[in-house]
DNA sequence: GTCTCATTTCGACATTTGGCGAAACAACAA
DNA sequence: TTGTTGTTTCGCCAAATGTCGAAATGAGAC
């Protein structure tokens, strides 16, 4: 029950759901997600920690950046089924499609450049 | 997205999830649910309206009582899949099992008697 | 019509939550 | 070591949420 509630609470915020959808098929670093959503870095970090706590994302650190990704087959059943449900339900939604489109632009940019813009 | 968020928000409260689990295989009237959870009737009513709004329960009125039940095949895909996920994930959980046990006792009681006790 | 009574709505309150900016942290660079 | 810099943690605030009791609703019963 505790595990389940951690997942549903994580999924009860639209920004967090959009983050999961943006992570389909690739990993993203915090600054890219921040750029995508136009939120403060601290806010994005908090959202990601909620998702991480629910087992809905994994993270790794490389050089200066922290990358988040969806967990693969190694994830607990509950989380995996939740993610399947999210992707199946909203994979083709307006919001997800628009995010994917903007994400394409962001992926072309240099990470350092993104971060520099956010530090202003 | 709106429909999806209504569902995840509805599922983000443990009492509401427990209500869904209690409704597996039977309909229950508001006073029975109130008795099961030890909450104020107004609180239970609000929770049920949130679930109803998300399409996760149906209701009907009979004589003095309002009965709630899980929607059958007629429910929208998203709600049906959410309910399947809930039942599959938590159907055998400690909380659900304990609730089922207490529910057995409550089902033996007369509806009028339950309501009389709650009006004190 | 009037009463009864199960349920819902309303108003208030305490807690939780999403958001930000500032400060702390961690890892690389010089 | 000392900066630089991307990320996280910490305080704080405004908005949303769970809970209750009181009042309103509405459908039978008399």
């Amino acid at each position: 029950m505790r595990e389940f509630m951690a997942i549903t609470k994580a999924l009860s915020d639209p920004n967090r759901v959009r983050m999961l959808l943006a992570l389909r098929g690739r990993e993203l670093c915090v600054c890219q997600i921040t750029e995508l959503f136009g939120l403060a870095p601290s806010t994005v970090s908090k959202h990601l920690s909620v998702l991480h706590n629910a087992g809905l994302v994994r993270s790794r650190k490389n050089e200066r950046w922290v990358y988040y990704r969806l967990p693969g087959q190694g994830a607990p059943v509950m989380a995996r089924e939740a993610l399947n449900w999210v992707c199946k339900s909203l994979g083709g939604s307006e919001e997800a499609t628009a995010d994917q489109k903007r994400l394409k632009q962001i992926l072309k940019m240099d990470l350092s450049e993104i971060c520099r813009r956010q530090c202003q």
Side-chain angles (χ1 to χ4, degrees), chain A:
Chain A
M1 184 84 171
R2 167 172 286 172
E3 182 189 357
F4 184 88
M5 292 314 301
I7 293 175
T8 55
K9 278 179 191 290
L11 295 181
S12 72
D13 178 85
N15 285 333
R16 285 195 290 264
V17 174
R18 284 172 61 199
M19 288 181 194
L20 292 177
L21 291 166
L23 288 171
R24 281 175 298 165
R26 70 180 130 253
E27 62 179 10
L28 292 173
C29 110
V30 178
C31 65
Q32 293 174 311
I33 302 174
T34 301
E35 185 70 17
L36 179 59
F37 289 93
L39 295 169
S42 61
T43 303
V44 171
S45 180
K46 203 186 218 174
H47 280 313
L48 288 169
S49 94
V50 171
L51 291 171
H52 191 267
N53 211 281
L56 295 171
V57 297
R58 298 256 187 274
S59 68
R60 77 181 174 96
K61 187 156 197 169
N62 186 270
E63 298 181 2
R64 295 186 245 184
W65 293 282
V66 177
Y67 293 88
Y68 283 85
R69 66 179 186 282
L70 300 185
Q73 295 306 322
V77 184
M78 240 184 243
R80 221 166 51 227
E81 290 183 348
L83 287 168
N84 286 339
W85 177 54
V86 171
C87 292
K88 185 179 172 187
S89 300
L90 297 179
S93 69
E94 263 185 65
E95 292 84 350
T97 307
D99 287 345
Q100 290 294 327
K101 190 173 173 186
R102 278 184 301 124
L103 195 48
K104 273 214 179 81
Q105 300 305 315
I106 292 172
L107 287 170
K108 291 179 190 167
M109 302 166 62
D110 187 57
L111 289 187
S112 309
E113 188 193 340
I114 295 177
C115 292
R116 211 172 311 127
R117 293 175 55 194
Q118 291 169 4
C119 284
Q120 294 165 5

